[in-house]
Amino acid sequence: MPSLEQALRAAYRNREGLLIQLHDQATDCYRLFHGSQEGAPGLTVDRYGPQLLVQSFHQTLERDALLALHEQVCASLGGHLSLVYNDRSQGNSRIDRNDPVYRADATALEDQVGREWGINYRVRARHSGQDPLLFLDLRNVRGWVKTNSAGKSVLNLFAYTCGVGLCAAAGGAREVCNLDFAESNLAVGRENGALNPDLAPMQFVQSDYFPAIRQLAGLPVPQRRGRQLPEYPRLAPKQFDLVLLDPPAWSKSAFGTVDLLRDYQSLLKPALLATADGGVLICCNNLAKVHLEDWREQVLRCATKAGRPVRHWQALSPAADFPSADGQPPLKVLVLQL
Ligand SMILES: C[S@@+](CC[C@H](N)C(=O)[O-])C[C@H]1O[C@@H](n2cnc3c(N)ncnc32)[C@H](O)[C@@H]1O
């Protein structure tokens, strides 16, 4: 087993070419060390603009090892990054000792701006969620959307902080609608819009997925027997030219359950119906235990059954900062041409 210092050095060497490309594309948010594949399971090191975010998921990184890692990464990149360390190894806890190394200094904890594909994003290394407001493994998907949105109407489902929506706006979409049930996530999406004042304004719909997508697809919103549903925004049926479906692995609400393992179809079918004929649906599945080939068969079968057969499909993989030895990265993405 190589030392952490050796593993970090090899990881940096493997990324040198990619980092040059990313910097040329005005991107300063990327993964520098993907421990599960690069020799230290449970450890990740990410750059988010001026911040270096180190996270441990299995065991705490000791102070000296953390400081050495910080120094090594800054030396490789040739510049200082503010260190934030989130230890999630014990019941998702963060170390908050009096030691400033673990506490992180005030500037490191400030809201910062990171860049990707020339777009500004709010980044926050420590907050209640696990991700500092931008999922780095989705970068290639955002890039694809930016290149393929000109003149299109775009629907961004499970929008989170609206990164895909911003890329659509930057790519010249004529209309962008971001949908998510968490107002706090959409609020960051609005902040991201304000950080990119040259982009056309986007729409934000705060709604549970199920009633929203069923209305857009022209399907009835089923009532649950004996139980009244919470209020939800009323939407007219509408199809979009480009739809992005990137759900979490699991989530339950009064309207239904998002369950990527057992029931991808109930998410996919209404999203297919809300995609225009000749349009594109990009669908994602981030469950590591699901294999691309099995999931793809399931997706293609579901599309045929829904009367929206796929004319052409393409798989998109995360970039080389998310290496996977077996060629099966947890995040699987299919671009479906309907
Ligand atoms: C994995 S993130 C999606 C990542 C996002 N597509 C991106 O570009 O970064 C999951 C999002 O789904 C939202 N969500 C989870 N269950 C939902 C539901 N039933 N209806 C609407 N949004 C939901 C969460 O609030 C969260 O923002």
Side-chain angles (χ1 to χ4, degrees):
M1 187 91 164
S3 68
L4 182 55
E5 192 262 333
Q6 288 168 323
L8 285 167
R9 192 148 24 90
Y12 185 77
R13 217 182 305 117
N14 291 338
R15 283 167 176 70
E16 267 174 326
L18 174 69
L19 296 188
I20 292 170
Q21 280 174 29
L22 293 177
H23 295 160
D24 282 351
Q25 292 157 359
T27 294
D28 63 10
C29 297
Y30 39 77
R31 176 149 292 186
L32 285 158
F33 187 65
H34 191 53
S36 63
Q37 300 288 311
E38 298 187 286
L43 182 68
T44 59
V45 181
D46 296 322
R47 176 177 182 187
Y48 281 93
Q51 296 176 327
L52 186 73
L53 174 64
V54 179
Q55 305 205 80
S56 55
F57 296 86
H58 296 173
Q59 63 204 43
T60 302
L61 197 60
E62 289 311 322
R63 187 181 193 281
D64 288 349
L66 177 62
L67 289 175
L69 177 157
H70 183 210
E71 202 180 305
Q72 185 181 347
V73 170
C74 292
S76 302
L77 287 172
H80 177 77
L81 298 176
S82 309
L83 174 67
V84 177
Y85 172 47
N86 292 337
D87 176 34
R88 300 175 183 279
S89 60
Q90 278 134 41
N92 214 14
S93 71
R94 292 162 188 76
I95 287 188
D96 194 8
R97 304 179 188 161
N98 288 330
D99 186 334
V101 171
Y102 288 115
R103 224 178 32 210
D105 59 37
T107 47
L109 294 177
E110 276 169 12
D111 282 4
Q112 300 288 356
V113 174
R115 302 197 84 208
E116 189 197 83
W117 302 113
I119 296 170
N120 296 325
Y121 289 92
R122 171 62 69 224
V123 292
R124 196 173 292 151
R126 196 173 286 170
H127 67 115
S128 53
Q130 294 226 344
D131 201 85
L133 309 179
L134 187 66
F135 286 100
L136 299 177
D137 54 354
L138 209 66
R139 184 192 316 114
N140 279 350
V141 173
R142 286 187 287 266
W144 194 97
V145 168
K146 188 165 177 257
T147 311
N148 292 279
S149 300
K152 296 195 174 151
S153 57
V154 178
L155 175 63
N156 182 18
L157 298 163
F158 299 95
Y160 187 47
T161 53
C162 308
V164 169
L166 285 163
C167 280
R174 76 181 137 83
E175 176 190 357
V176 179
C177 177
N178 297 291
L179 189 138
D180 200 286
F181 70 4
E183 175 48 36
S184 55
N185 292 342
L186 292 177
V188 178
R190 286 193 191 90
E191 219 180 317
N192 283 334
L195 287 171
N196 297 279
D198 294 341
L199 299 187
M202 304 187 287
Q203 295 163 41
F204 301 88
V205 176
Q206 187 196 351
S207 172
D208 192 278
Y209 175 73
F210 292 104
I213 197 68
R214 290 188 71 85
Q215 291 179 87
L216 291 171
L219 298 169
V221 178
Q223 298 298 313
R224 295 217 166 157
R225 241 187 314 142
R227 261 200 285 155
Q228 213 184 334
L229 287 176
E231 275 303 307
Y232 55 87
R234 304 296 149 144
L235 303 170
K238 178 171 169 135
Q239 289 188 320
F240 291 78
D241 302 322
L242 176 54
V243 176
L244 185 284
L245 174 65
D246 179 24
W250 196 87
S251 130
K252 192 173 167 68
S253 73
F255 296 95
T257 303
V258 174
D259 184 342
L260 299 199
L261 185 63
R262 287 171 203 84
D263 190 10
Y264 199 88
Q265 294 91 309
S266 64
L267 302 173
L268 184 62
K269 183 181 164 194
L272 285 158
L273 299 179
T275 307
D277 198 21
V280 170
L281 171 64
I282 305 179
C283 54
C284 309
N285 190 326
N286 60 18
L287 264 189
K289 60 179 132 180
V290 172
H291 274 232
L292 174 65
E293 290 70 26
D294 300 339
W295 177 61
R296 188 186 62 219
E297 287 317 305
Q298 197 187 27
V299 163
L300 297 180
R301 220 177 312 122
C302 175
T304 304
K305 235 168 108 185
R308 306 303 315 280
V310 173
R311 293 174 213 260
H312 179 260
W313 62 264
Q314 175 194 352
L316 292 181
S317 304
D321 51 339
F322 285 81
S324 61
D326 62 357
Q328 289 279 346
L331 177 65
K332 293 154 289 288
V333 179
L334 288 171
V335 179
L336 310 176
Q337 182 78 52
L338 302 187

